[in-house]
Amino acid sequence: MMRTNHRINIDTLSEDACRSIFNHLAFHGRGKDECERLTDIGNEIANKCKGLPLAAKVLGGLMQSKRTREEWECVLSSELWRLDEVDEDRVEQLFVPLLLSYYDLPSVVTLRGLEIEIWRLLERTAFKS
């Protein structure tokens, strides 16, 4: 297998661009009143993405299913955001939104993922025998 050490560094998005990605997904299919009611919280959540487009996309998609202000406030005030204070590495910054999204998956989906991982582990073990 061929490997390369070549890296392309990409700057983060502006706050406006990041908010735009988040809003496009989070507010898709919502009425004007609902959007107005959630915009302030949405801006705060989008700002936590720190200009990372994947984080904005994942969180925007997560918020699509959240219908009440309380649900949005729960995501905004989640203790998982505190993980970002421990390590400033960009990988860790992406981890928080992904973890929030993972914990919000229906149990069928997370169980299916666990089933796949168990199957892979069993396959690796079987080939070693």
Side-chain angles (χ1 to χ4, degrees):
M1 178 169 20
M2 193 166 137
R3 293 185 182 201
T4 181
N5 290 333
H6 181 73
R7 285 178 47 177
I8 298 174
N9 292 321
I10 301 173
D11 288 335
T12 57
L13 299 175
S14 68
E15 283 185 6
D16 287 339
C18 192
R19 245 190 324 270
S20 177
I21 291 171
F22 174 86
N23 289 342
H24 178 73
L25 293 162
F27 294 112
H28 179 74
R30 294 181 191 265
K32 183 180 177 184
D33 291 342
E34 191 176 12
C35 291
E36 288 176 0
R37 192 174 67 249
L38 299 171
T39 296
D40 60 325
I41 299 173
N43 287 340
E44 289 184 64
I45 293 171
N47 289 341
K48 289 184 175 283
C49 295
K50 299 184 179 176
L52 300 172
L54 178 59
K57 183 175 180 177
V58 168
L59 277 173
L62 169 68
M63 301 315 291
Q64 265 184 355
S65 65
K66 307 291 184 194
R67 291 290 167 210
T68 66
R69 186 172 178 88
E70 291 76 28
E71 289 175 308
W72 282 56
E73 288 172 347
C74 185
V75 170
L76 178 62
S77 64
S78 173
E79 288 295 316
L80 293 173
W81 291 114
R82 294 181 54 113
L83 294 175
D84 187 44
E85 297 170 7
V86 177
D87 188 353
E88 294 184 15
D89 185 33
R90 289 195 186 256
V91 175
E92 292 296 325
Q93 291 175 1
L94 276 176
F95 179 71
V96 174
L98 295 174
L99 191 57
L100 279 165
S101 182
Y102 173 79
Y103 280 122
D104 200 61
L105 287 172
S107 59
V108 173
V109 175
T110 55
L111 289 175
R112 178 75 179 136
L114 180 60
E115 179 184 327
I116 291 168
E117 290 304 314
I118 291 171
W119 181 253
R120 287 181 182 156
L121 180 62
L122 289 172
E123 284 179 327
R124 278 186 262 151
T125 306
F127 288 124
K128 287 184 178 180
S129 300

